[in-house]
Structures are given as structure tokens and as C-alpha cells.
């Protein structure tokens, strides 16, 4: 059954008053709740209960109240570089890399306090820690992956033979690791989501702290109305079991979570007449689906140009400009007071960058080199990199204010930065 927030909200309200008294310096007007967690993602075989590991992952989110505003979010921990949240009107997210083992994940994202810093309406800046910790014996807290079953008319149905004219029951194995919250805030949760072949969510079981219905560890199924289904299409289902450590910092609810998510596709029978034009693989519905792309194909986008950025002190920069532009007679295809880009051929360029606040690197005696790859599909590259294992985003994707580019940065195994960017004025 879906858990309604009637009397539960009264409990939360009284608990939050007690929590606020413990830290009166934190008073939020816009935050619904904060969450940081480690997850394991699995792909369930469509003809059996077998599951294949996709990845282990670290993430954090800031959920914003309706009508609220949160900007300039960062996440910090003593063991990691500061991570930036991508601005969003309702849920701000930041994501770590994707890894094959939990040990690899823990090595890069250790347990401990993760500090959320962000700005709300009226320039109210909040600093809130959320603690991740293992069991006392050091064993994992990530639960077993749920096994999904489809039923119609009370009987189990094959994932390729879903009747779009009948309600679909989605059930899963019991959440044996889940239980009630000893703090009385939020019990361990289950999330059940259905998306169409374009990656658009068409059904969501709900989230806590919003006053609406949601699923807890005791729930084992949901029913999707036939009104949401069309004939001849493919859909994606995710079911997540999430162990929750809850707290309040001031009046802000915080959650540290350890979760497992299973993904399973299904096809509706019948002829697709005027429906969605689905690719063979559905488009990625959830960032955990790194075996899916943002376009329903695993083909990588093309590369348009490649630029190698070289960094100089102010004095040496003038000499470099003369060397590339005068001595080598290279054409400057971009000319600014702190960076000039010289064309080597139709797709290869050298960028000469003066030491300034605009440059990502500082010059050093051993030289500073950034490999910059230019593509009209930089967002597709960003999605592809998010799907790659063991690659860490150094700087989240953003559209720059002073330079006409949209870009993000990663690091290669040798520690060099690699930039992917798209010209915004071409």
C-alpha cells in the first residue's frame, strides 16, 4: 500500500521542531530535503530472474520546495574534490563516476561527512553536513537488488507480451534489509518508476517530505493504469530499495542512503499507430542506466575539431602570439585579449592562453597542457562520459558567461585535463 502522510506529517512536524532546537542556525525556506548516497544498479534479464551488474555509483541531490529556489550548490568532503550541483528548479544533482566494484567506489568516495553548501532565496547561504557510514562490522549497507515480476489479470506475464488495454501490476521481491526509522522521520523507501521509450517518466511512486503518497520497505507492488500504456511500444521500469539514515539539521531533513536499483524493459502488444517512434533500445530514463544512451543508441557522437590549449605567463604569452601568428603565419580563428586559437588544419588547432582568471590552468615550468575536443554534440558527449566507468567529471557541464562555449572537463589516467566543448555562436 502507498503510505499516506496524514498523522505522519504531524510526527515529522514535531520531530523537526525538536531538531531545529538543536541547530537554530540553519533555517531554510526553500529546501524540501537533502540526500547523499551510494547505489548499485542492475539490469534484469527479460526472460528470467537473472541480473547483471551495471555499476556502482555515488550521488547527491537537493530537493527544492515548490516555489523555492536553490543555486550555487557544492558538495565537499575531505577525501574528494569539491563537486558542483547542476542548477535545476526542483532537484539539483551531482554525480560521481561509475565503477565495477563497491571497493572502487569507496576508494574514491569515502565514508564521512559530505557538506552541502548552497544559496536560497534572499541570498540565504546554508552549510549542512550529511554523514555516510558503514555497518559497525564494516560490511556493505547496500541491499540486495529487487527482482521484478509483471502480472496482468492476476497471472505472471512475459515482458514482451504486456496487454496495453489492461492494468499492469509490477511486483518485486521483499525488501528484507529495510525497516522502520528509529528516528521516526522516514522509513526505508521503495521507488518504482516507469518511463516510455524516450526516457520520459510516466509514473513515479512518490518521494518523502512532500506530503504525498510514497512507498516504504513494506510495499511489494504497484499497479500501472492501462491509460498510461500505448500499443506496440517499449517501456522501462526501475525498482529501487533504499536504506535510509535520517536526520534534521535545523529545519532541513537530511538522508544518507544505500540503495540497489533493478531495471527491466517491457513491450506492449498490438500495432503502434501514431505512437512514439521507439529505437531498439529505450532512451536512458535514469542516470544509473549506463548501458543506455541519451538517444537510444550506444553509437558515440562525432568529433568536429580538436584544440590543444597551451598556457603561458603574461610575458611569454606575447612571445607565443608572435611565434604562432607571425613566425608560423597561422590563421587566428579566435582572437581575444587572453586567448588566441590558431588553425593547423580543418579540424586541428592550437590555443595560446595567457595567465588570467579565465584560464583553467596556471603556467608552470614543466608546461601545462589541456586537450580540448570540440563537438556540436557536447551534451551527448557529457551523457556518454557519465555512462563510462572509472572516469571522473572534473568540472560539470556549463555554458560560460564570458566565452561563447558550453563545456565540461575530465581527467585522463595521467592526470591531464581533457575538455569537451561546443561553440555557442556557430
Amino acid at each position: 500500500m502507498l503510505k499516506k502522510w496524514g498523522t505522519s506529517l504531524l510526527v515529522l512536524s514535531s520531530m523537526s521542531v525538536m531538531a531545529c532546537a538543536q541547530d537554530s542556525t540553519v533555517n531554510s525556506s526553500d529546501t524540501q530535503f537533502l540526500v547523499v548516497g551510494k547505489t548499485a544498479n542492475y539490469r534484469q534479464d527479460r526472460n528470467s530472474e537473472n541480473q547483471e551488474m551495471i555499476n556502482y555509483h555515488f550521488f547527491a541531490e537537493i530537493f527544492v520546495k515548490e516555489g523555492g529556489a536553490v543555486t550555487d550548490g557544492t558538495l565537499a568532503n575531505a577525501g574528494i574534490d569539491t563537486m558542483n550541483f547542476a542548477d535545476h528548479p526542483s532537484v539539483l544533482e551531482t554525480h560521481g563516476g561509475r565503477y565495477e566494484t563497491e571497493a572502487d567506489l569507496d576508494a574514491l568516495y569515502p565514508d564521512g561527512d559530505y557538506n552541502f553548501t548552497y544559496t536560497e532565496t534572499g541570498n540565504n547561504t546554508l552549510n549542512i553536513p550529511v554523514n555516510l557510514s558503514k555497518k559497525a562490522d564494516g560490511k556493505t549497507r547496500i541491499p540486495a537488488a529487487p527482482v521484478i515480476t509483471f502480472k496482468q489479470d492476476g497471472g505472471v506475464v512475459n515482458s514482451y507480451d504486456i496487454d496495453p488495454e489492461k492494468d499492469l501490476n509490477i511486483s518485486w521481491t521483499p525488501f528484507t534489509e529495510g525497516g522502520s526509522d528509529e528516528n521516526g522521520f522516514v522509513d526505508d523507501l521503495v521507488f518504482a518508476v516507469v518511463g516510455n521509450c524516450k526516457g520520459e517518466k510516466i509514473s513515479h511512486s512518490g518521494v518523502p517530505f512532500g506530503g504525498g503518497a510514497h512507498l516504504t520497505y513494506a510495499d511489494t507492488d504497484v499497479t500501472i493504469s492501462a491509460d498510461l500504456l500505448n500499443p506496440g511500444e517499449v517501456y522501462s521500469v526501475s525498482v529501487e530499495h533504499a536504506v535510509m539514515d535520517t536526520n534534521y539539521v535545523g529545519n532541513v531533513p537530511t538522508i544518507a542512503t544505500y540503495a540497489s536499483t533493478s531495471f527491466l524493459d517491457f513491450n506492449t502488444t498490438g500495432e503502434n499507430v501514431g505512437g512514439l517512434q521507439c529505437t531498439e533500445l529505450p532512451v536512458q530514463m535514469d542516470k544509473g542506466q549506463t548501458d543506455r544512451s541519451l538517444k537510444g543508441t550506444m553509437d558515440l557522437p562525432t568529433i568536429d575539431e580538436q584544440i590543444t590549449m597551451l598556457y603561458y605567463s603574461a610575458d611569454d604569452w606575447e612571445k607565443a602570439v608572435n611565434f604562432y601568428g607571425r613566425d608560423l603565419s597561422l590563421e587566428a580563428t579566435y582572437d581575444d585579449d587572453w586567448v588566441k586559437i590558431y588553425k593547423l588544419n580543418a579540424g586541428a588547432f592550437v590555443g595560446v592562453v595567457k595567465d588570467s582568471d579565465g584560464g583553467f590552468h596556471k603556467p608552470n615550468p614543466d608546461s601545462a597542457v589541456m586537450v580540448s575536443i570540440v563537438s556540436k554534440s557536447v551534451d551527448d558527449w557529457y551523457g556518454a562520459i557519465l555512462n563510462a566507468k572509472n572516469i571522473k567529471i572534473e568540472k560539470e557541464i556549463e555554458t560560460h558567461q564570458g566565452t561563447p562555449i558550453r563545456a565540461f572537463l575530465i581527467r585522463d589516467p595521467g592526470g591531464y585535463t581533457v575538455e569537451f566543448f561546443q561553440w555557442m555562436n556557430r
Side-chain angles (χ1 to χ4, degrees), residues 10-280:
L10 297 177
V11 173
L12 279 172
S13 177
S14 62
M15 298 293 275
S16 66
V17 169
M18 290 186 293
C20 287
Q22 297 171 6
D23 189 350
S24 59
T25 61
V26 175
N27 184 21
S28 167
S29 60
D30 299 336
T31 307
Q32 186 174 344
F33 64 95
L34 307 178
V35 59
V36 62
K38 296 180 179 181
T39 67
N41 296 295
Y42 296 83
R43 172 69 58 187
Q44 184 170 328
D45 183 82
R46 294 190 63 171
N47 296 306
S48 70
E49 294 185 350
N50 296 333
Q51 293 176 316
E52 181 180 357
M53 162 60 64
I54 303 176
N55 58 62
Y56 287 89
H57 180 51
F58 172 88
F59 76 99
E61 296 174 320
I62 303 171
F63 284 76
V64 184
K65 292 178 181 178
E66 185 174 355
V70 170
T71 59
D72 302 323
T74 62
L75 185 75
N77 170 279
I80 67 170
D81 294 332
T82 299
M83 301 171 65
N84 296 315
F85 286 91
D87 286 345
H88 190 275
S90 59
V91 184
L92 285 71
E93 302 179 11
T94 187
H95 293 268
R98 308 283 174 171
Y99 303 96
E100 294 182 354
T101 69
E102 188 176 358
D104 290 338
L105 177 67
D106 289 341
L108 289 168
Y109 299 93
D111 290 341
D113 282 342
Y114 283 81
N115 295 294
F116 290 73
T117 302
Y118 56 93
T119 302
E120 293 189 333
T121 303
N123 287 324
N124 180 29
T125 299
L126 302 182
N127 296 281
I128 300 176
V130 182
N131 184 267
L132 279 174
S133 61
K134 282 188 169 53
K135 293 180 179 178
D137 58 8
K139 293 183 179 179
T140 183
R141 299 184 64 192
I142 295 178
V147 176
I148 302 170
T149 301
F150 296 130
K151 294 179 182 178
Q152 288 185 312
D153 291 334
V156 175
V157 289
N158 187 281
S159 65
Y160 291 98
D161 297 312
I162 305 300
D163 188 339
E165 296 184 356
K166 298 178 180 179
D167 293 347
L168 175 65
N169 179 266
I170 302 171
S171 63
W172 48 86
T173 47
F175 187 1
T176 57
E177 299 89 348
S180 58
D181 183 5
E182 62 182 15
N183 293 325
F185 297 149
V186 176
D187 294 340
D188 292 335
L189 296 174
V190 173
F191 300 96
V193 183
V194 179
N196 61 27
C197 67
K198 299 301 184 182
E200 301 162 337
K201 295 180 176 67
I202 62 173
S203 176
H204 195 296
S205 59
V207 297
F209 300 110
H214 66 282
L215 300 173
T216 74
Y217 70 96
D219 295 298
T220 57
D221 73 295
V222 294
T223 297
I224 305 302
S225 171
D227 294 339
L228 298 175
L229 305 177
N230 296 317
E233 293 188 8
V234 59
Y235 295 84
S236 180
V237 173
S238 71
V239 176
E240 176 182 337
H241 284 178
V243 174
M244 319 290 282
D245 286 349
T246 64
N247 194 16
Y248 268 84
V249 177
N251 66 340
V252 176
T254 67
I255 297 172
T257 185
Y258 309 85
S260 283
T261 303
S262 296
F263 299 103
L264 179 61
D265 296 337
F266 69 86
N267 288 67
T268 52
T269 58
E271 184 179 359
N272 183 338
V273 178
L276 297 176
Q277 298 304 304
C278 299
T279 53
E280 183 176 354

Side-chain angles (χ1 to χ4, degrees), residues 361 367 369 390 394 410-418:
H361 281 301
S367 79
V369 178
N390 300 319
E394 181 71 16
I410 63 174
R411 284 193 185 273
D412 73 7
Y416 290 100
T417 50
V418 179

